[in-house]
Amino acid sequence: MQLLKTVVPIIFVISLAACGRHYPAAPAQAGLIQQFTSLEDSSIQQPVQTSWGINTGWSIYKDIMFAGTAIEGSLTHNIQFAKGRRLLNCRITGGDAYNNLFFTNTLARQWKQKKWHFSKANAFSYSMHFYVDNLIDCSNGNQSELEGLEFTFQKATPPQSYLWGLQWSKANVWSYWDDTRHNGRVKGWVTLPGLTACISGRQWNHIRITGYYRGNQLYYSNLYLNGKTFALNVKTKHSYLPGDFAENYLQAGFQINGNKAVQKNHPHGTDPVSVYLDDVSLQVSRQ
């Protein structure tokens, strides 16, 4: 699976109370630089100039796995699903099997020659509540209406890139992203042995991921999921951006991985999937 492109854009609804999400916020990290909250409210494909650089708003990247195939989807704000709460609705609406949609928000992008607010940031906590409005069957993944979900955040100071990603698959396997290269190829997803925490379909889930870097080492610290904390204890080396990258940036991301359709009530090669995001937050610190 090819997630984690370096994406820097130059760039039946039901009524359901938004309940069951009373989890503690991330504890403030020492050396807090910035706390981005309510990112689900950010604009969609409408860049805004801030004191830290350009905020691109949310965008969609089509992660096509096989040449000649397609994936379709949408990204909208929704206030009906949770009775007035403003949510971000990420959707696959059709297309071919095993293609994916990557939803990104570049929070701050600035020319690398300028002084940057986040230049000394090296510790991060990324969290959200999310509701998958589809069938998930952790005991029989082949019945699930999606292939998986991915949660990512990245700081880039060209030529260095520090990128964290966790993937949950319908086989109830968790993996972390290793962005380093060997013989010209990215190492990619690496299974986290023994981690089999299931994501619930048609219920609110809460996730928080923490990580940091020191020198050229990138560390995955903890995964917090639905009230349980899992120590990850993983480290990799940072990676490098292509030589033509001229901007620092900070980015949050979320991906839906399409399956091979199991439902027969539509003409698509992948099942339509709808995921609602709420309370999306990225905490940025200096450790």
Side-chain angles (χ1 to χ4, degrees), residues 1 3 126-128 130 132 136 138 146-153 164-178 188-201 205-210 220 222-232 234 253-255 257:
M1 156 116 355
L3 168 79
Y126 184 38
S127 64
M128 68 177 70
F130 63 98
V132 182
I136 292 177
C138 283
L146 66 161
E147 193 69 19
L149 299 173
E150 298 171 6
F151 308 86
T152 72
F153 56 94
W164 292 257
L166 288 185
Q167 178 195 75
W168 170 84
S169 76
K170 67 181 183 181
N172 206 29
V173 172
W174 286 86
S175 304
Y176 71 92
W177 182 258
D178 187 335
W189 292 112
V190 180
T191 299
L192 288 160
L195 181 51
T196 57
C198 188
I199 283 174
S200 298
N205 298 267
H206 179 236
I207 191 170
R208 182 165 71 241
I209 304 162
T210 58
Y220 288 80
N222 293 294
L223 164 65
Y224 177 101
L225 182 69
N226 295 337
K228 295 182 179 180
T229 300
F230 304 91
L232 300 178
V234 168
F254 170 74
Q255 180 160 305
N257 297 333

Side-chain angles (χ1 to χ4, degrees), residues 5 18 30 71 80 84 136 179 218 220 230:
K5 313 289 187 297
I71 189 69
Q80 293 176 287
I136 292 177
D179 207 29
L218 182 154
Y220 288 80
F230 304 91

Side-chain angles (χ1 to χ4, degrees), residues 88-109:
L88 190 69
N89 189 192
C90 306
R91 300 178 66 208
I92 288 177
T93 56
D96 298 307
Y98 303 127
N99 288 327
N100 318 304
L101 285 181
F102 187 27
F103 305 90
T104 66
N105 189 338
T106 302
L107 304 169
R109 192 186 76 222

Side-chain angles (χ1 to χ4, degrees), residues 256-270:
I256 303 174
N257 297 333
N259 67 346
K260 181 178 180 180
V262 297
Q263 300 301 326
K264 307 300 181 184
N265 58 353
H266 60 78
H268 309 294
T270 187

